Amino acid sequence: LSNMLRAVILITLISFVHSDESSCISSCSTTSMPQCGTWLSSERISEAAGTYELGQGVVNISCVFSSLPRPATVTWYHRPPSSSSWSPFTCSTKDEHISCSTSTEQKVSSVCILRTSALNMTGSYRCEAKTDNGDSTHTKAMSSEVPIHVVGIESVRIVDKSLRAGYDGYVQAEVCAHPEPEIWWTTGEGLVKPGQALSNFASSHMAKSIVRSSAEGPARVVPYCFQLRLIVRNVRKGESLSLLVRSHGEVSTTRIVSSSASLVLFVPLVALLLRLF
Ligand SMILES: *[C@@H]1O[C@H](CO)[C@@H](O)[C@H](O)[C@H]1NC(C)=O
Ligand SMILES: *[C@@H]1O[C@H](CO)[C@@H](O)[C@H](O)[C@H]1NC(C)=O
């Protein structure tokens, strides 16, 4: 009887504090049945494992938790490859449904739809549920985890270049792609691969892109991005150069300079116009 009385007082207290959600509270105890807690009831996680196209893939994962005394709060977590820390992420759309009860367990289902719009979405995913006991303690449960790979060419940028006719020049490019891309420079003398040289052209090897928050600060690797540089000896007038990138069967061509004079004039003009407006 005293247990029941305690439970009634607890419920009354809790309903007083959270009167707006009183229909979502059942009684439970840390020492006797029914016990307070959070349990995974079902999940649709491991079925989603696999490779998704950048910009096209849709990951569809879900989990259902039951809990006492209140409905659990469900949070979705992501862990990048070769990292040990999980961080919360925002689903492209999250559909959450709570079934309330005043006598049995609460149920929360959460469906997370994730559009694979960036390469850094690669990694493991899982959901976690946390339930407040109402006395500043809580219980937790989590789903299993699923590995997701996002593949494709995210960007090809000419970061810097100097190509004045009659002088030695260079082109610095950054390519963000997964898996690691194959790259060719097309030159007047033919194709040059990273680490190769022709008589007037030489390409560096690919190196992982890094950023520094300050000059003295530590370098951080930009995931999935690579830098490379083409060295040009004695740039000729009307030199024609481009960059071919291939990753996961996808091919992209980026024109650096073209022998057509109109394009050489047109590109800086557009850049100037963009800067003005
Ligand atoms: C996610 O998967 C569930 C179960 O297979 C399906 O009913 C639902 O329509 C899917 N949602 C989307 C947006 O694809
Ligand atoms: C992931 O990449 C996108 C751009 O593709 C960037 O905006 C975002 O900040 C990156 N997220 C992380 C956690 O690095």
Side-chain angles (χ1 to χ4, degrees), residues 81-142:
S82 68
S83 162
S84 58
S85 62
W86 293 88
S87 39
F89 74 92
T90 311
C91 304
S92 312
T93 40
K94 190 164 97 165
D95 190 11
E96 208 162 80
H97 185 76
I98 302 177
S99 353
C100 284
S101 168
T102 49
S103 53
T104 67
E105 291 162 2
Q106 320 292 342
K107 263 198 176 351
V108 180
S109 79
S110 180
V111 180
C112 177
I113 304 291
L114 192 63
R115 291 176 196 286
T116 53
S117 58
L119 293 175
N120 59 16
M121 290 176 147
T122 292
S124 297
Y125 289 85
R126 75 174 187 203
C127 63
E128 193 177 284
K130 190 173 160 181
T131 310
D132 264 324
N133 290 334
D135 57 359
S136 78
T137 62
H138 61 258
T139 56
K140 271 187 185 179
M142 63 183 80

Side-chain angles (χ1 to χ4, degrees), residues 11-20 70:
I11 291 167
T12 317
L13 265 175
I14 287 167
S15 10
F16 181 72
V17 177
H18 299 272
S19 52
D20 54 329
R70 300 151 198 283

